[in-house]
DNA sequence: CTCTGGATAGAGCGATCGTTCTAATGCAGG
DNA sequence: CCTGCATTAGAACGATCGCTCTATCCAGAG
C-alpha cells in the first residue's frame, strides 16, 4: 500500500516534471532539477521511469492533458449555452495566466513543439491531449443541439483558437487576445446554429 | 562592400539559425551545429553576434517574422476579398507545411514559448513579430472597408487561429485543422461586415 | 532472526553545452 | 613593401547534460 498522508514519489515526480516543462519546455528542464524540486533522487526517477527523460515527458504531457480537460469540464458545467461558456472559459484562462505571472501557459504546447519530428512518442501524447479536449467541446456542442459534423469542425477551431490566443496572451503579457477570442468564438458558434435543432430556452 | 556572388557570412548564420530553431527550438539548437551548417566557425559567430546565443535567437526570430510577413503580403495580394484570402492563406500554409514533412511550423512560436519569462529580449522580438503580422491583417481588412476597431480585433483572432491551427496541423500531421480554420475565419469575417462600408462586388 | 525485492541514495561516466581565448588570415590604404 | 583591421580558425575551459552504476535502506514474508 502506498503512503497516503502525502503524495507518492512517482506522482510527485510527474507533477514536478509537468510544471517545469510547462514553464521551461522540454530541453531546458534537467533531470537534476526535476529530482531536486520533487524531493526525489535520480535513482528514484530512473526507477519509476526507466525510459528516462522521454518517458517522463510523455507522462507529464498526459498529466497536463488531464488537468486542462478537467478545467474545460468545470467551465462547461457552469454555462449551459456553448457560446456563453466560451466567454467564461477565456476569462478564467486569462485570469489564471495573469495570476501565474504569465508563466503557466498551455501545459502541453511547448513540449509538443519541441518534439515534433524528433520524439514521436511525445508528439503522439500531445496529439491525444488535443483530441481529448476537442472531444469535450464536441460533446458540449452536441448537447446544445449542434449537428455532429458542425460540432466536430467547431471543436477544432475552438481548441486551436484557445491555443493561439493563450500563446499570444502569454507572449504579450496581456489578457486582450483571450478576451477577444472568447467573443469571436461565441459569434462563430452562434452563426452555426442554423443547421442545428433549436436548443431550449436555458 | 560585401561580397555579392554569395550570401555573406552573417546572413548565412542568421538564416541557418532561423531554420534550425524553427525545427528544433531554441534549447535544442547548439552553436556548434549552427556554425557547421552555416559553413562558418564559432569565431565568426561570436564576431558577428557578441551577445551569443540570445542575440542570435533575436535575429532569427526577426528573420522569421519578416519571412512570414512576406508570405502574408503575397497571399493577401492574390485575393481581393479578405474572407477568400483567409481560405487561400490556410491552403498554402497547409501545403507548405506538408511539403516540409511537417517540420516547418511557425518560425517564431517554438522559440517564443521557450523564452517566456526567461529571455525578455527574445520574448519581445516575438511580440513584435506577432504585432507586425496583425498589422498586415488589419490593413487588409481596413482596405476592404471594415471599421478600425473591428479590424483590430479580427486581426488578433486571425493570427491567433492561424497559429493554433498550424500548431495543431503540425502535431497531428494533417491539413484538416488549417482547412477548417480558413473556412471559419471566412465565416467570422463575413459576420462582421455589418458595421462596415459595403465592399465592391469583387 | 533471515531473506527478498522495491525504493532510495548519490558518485561518477562520457559527451556536449555556451563561451572565451589567442593566433592566423585576407585584404584595403599608404 | 608595411600597417591596420575585419574576419576566420579552432583549441580549450568549466559547467552541465542524460544516464549508469553500486550500495544502502526498509517493510513484509518465512
Amino acid at each position: 500500500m502506498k503512503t497516503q498522508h502525502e503524495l507518492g514519489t512517482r506522482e510527485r515526480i510527474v507533477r514536478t516534471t509537468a510544471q517545469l516543462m510547462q514553464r521551461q519546455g522540454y530541453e531546458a528542464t534537467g533531470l537534476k532539477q526535476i529530482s531536486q524540486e520533487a524531493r526525489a533522487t535520480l535513482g528514484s526517477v530512473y526507477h519509476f521511469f526507466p525510459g528516462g527523460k522521454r518517458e517522463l515527458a510523455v507522462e507529464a504531457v498526459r498529466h497536463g492533458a488531464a488537468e486542462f480537460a478537467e478545467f474545460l469540464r468545470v467551465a462547461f458545467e457552469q454555462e449551459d449555452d456553448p457560446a456563453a461558456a466560451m466567454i467564461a472559459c477565456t476569462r478564467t484562462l486569462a485570469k489564471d495566466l495573469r495570476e501565474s505571472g504569465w508563466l503557466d501557459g498551455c501545459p502541453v504546447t511547448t513540449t509538443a513543439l519541441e518534439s515534433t519530428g524528433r520524439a514521436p512518442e511525445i508528439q503522439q501524447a500531445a496529439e491525444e491531449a488535443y483530441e481529448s479536449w476537442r472531444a469535450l467541446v464536441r460533446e458540449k456542442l452536441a448537447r446544445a443541439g449542434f449537428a455532429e459534423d458542425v460540432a466536430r469542425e467547431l471543436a477544432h477551431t475552438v481548441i486551436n483558437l484557445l491555443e493561439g490566443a493563450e500563446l499570444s496572451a502569454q507572449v504579450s503579457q496581456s489578457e486582450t487576445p483571450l478576451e477577444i477570442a472568447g467573443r469571436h468564438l461565441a459569434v462563430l458558434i452562434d452563426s452555426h446554429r442554423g443547421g442545428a435543432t433549436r436548443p431550449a430556452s436555458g
Side-chain angles (χ1 to χ4, degrees), chain A:
Chain A
M1 188 183 296
K2 310 285 181 59
T3 58
Q4 290 177 340
H5 57 291
E6 65 169 323
L7 260 56
T9 302
R10 195 196 133 97
E11 186 67 14
R12 236 163 44 232
I13 292 173
V14 170
R15 293 193 185 203
T16 302
T17 304
Q19 196 203 83
L20 287 175
M21 288 191 179
Q22 178 182 26
R23 301 195 169 194
Q24 312 177 343
Y26 175 81
E27 298 285 348
T29 300
L31 292 182
K32 289 240 165 73
Q33 185 185 14
I34 291 174
S35 63
Q36 281 172 11
E37 297 205 12
R39 282 167 298 127
T41 63
L42 230 39
S44 295
V45 172
Y46 276 95
H47 172 73
F48 288 110
F49 307 95
K53 200 183 184 182
R54 293 274 187 93
E55 184 180 348
L56 211 35
V58 170
E59 289 304 313
V61 166
R62 287 183 183 150
H63 180 86
E67 200 176 57
F68 188 67
E70 182 57 26
F71 168 85
L72 285 180
R73 249 187 296 268
V74 170
F76 289 171
E77 270 176 10
Q78 298 181 348
E79 287 281 355
D80 211 51
D81 177 57
M86 291 307 143
I87 292 180
C89 192
T90 53
R91 201 193 324 258
T92 309
L93 225 42
K95 180 178 76 89
D96 291 350
L97 180 58
R98 171 173 45 79
E99 288 179 350
S100 77
W102 311 102
L103 291 177
D104 294 340
C106 174
V108 168
T109 305
T110 310
T111 302
L113 276 176
E114 288 180 283
S115 306
T116 46
R118 307 197 306 136
E121 346 146 35
I122 304 177
Q123 185 171 350
Q124 189 186 338
E127 227 293 87
E128 292 168 1
Y130 296 139
E131 171 55 27
S132 72
W133 301 340
R134 284 194 297 264
L136 289 174
V137 177
R138 227 157 43 216
E139 289 165 15
K140 176 70 178 176
L141 291 170
R143 256 181 275 121
F146 282 81
E148 193 181 340
D149 54 339
V150 172
R152 202 187 63 250
E153 296 204 340
L154 279 175
H156 267 91
T157 292
V158 165
I159 296 300
N160 290 340
L161 183 53
L162 287 184
E163 287 288 336
E166 174 136 48
L167 155 68
S168 178
Q170 193 176 7
V171 170
S172 64
Q173 305 200 344
S174 156
E175 303 185 42
T176 305
L178 278 165
E179 193 263 337
I180 296 174
R183 277 187 286 114
H184 282 168
L185 281 179
V187 169
L188 187 68
I189 288 174
D190 283 339
S191 75
H192 281 80
R193 283 196 198 278
T197 62
R198 191 60 47 86
S201 64

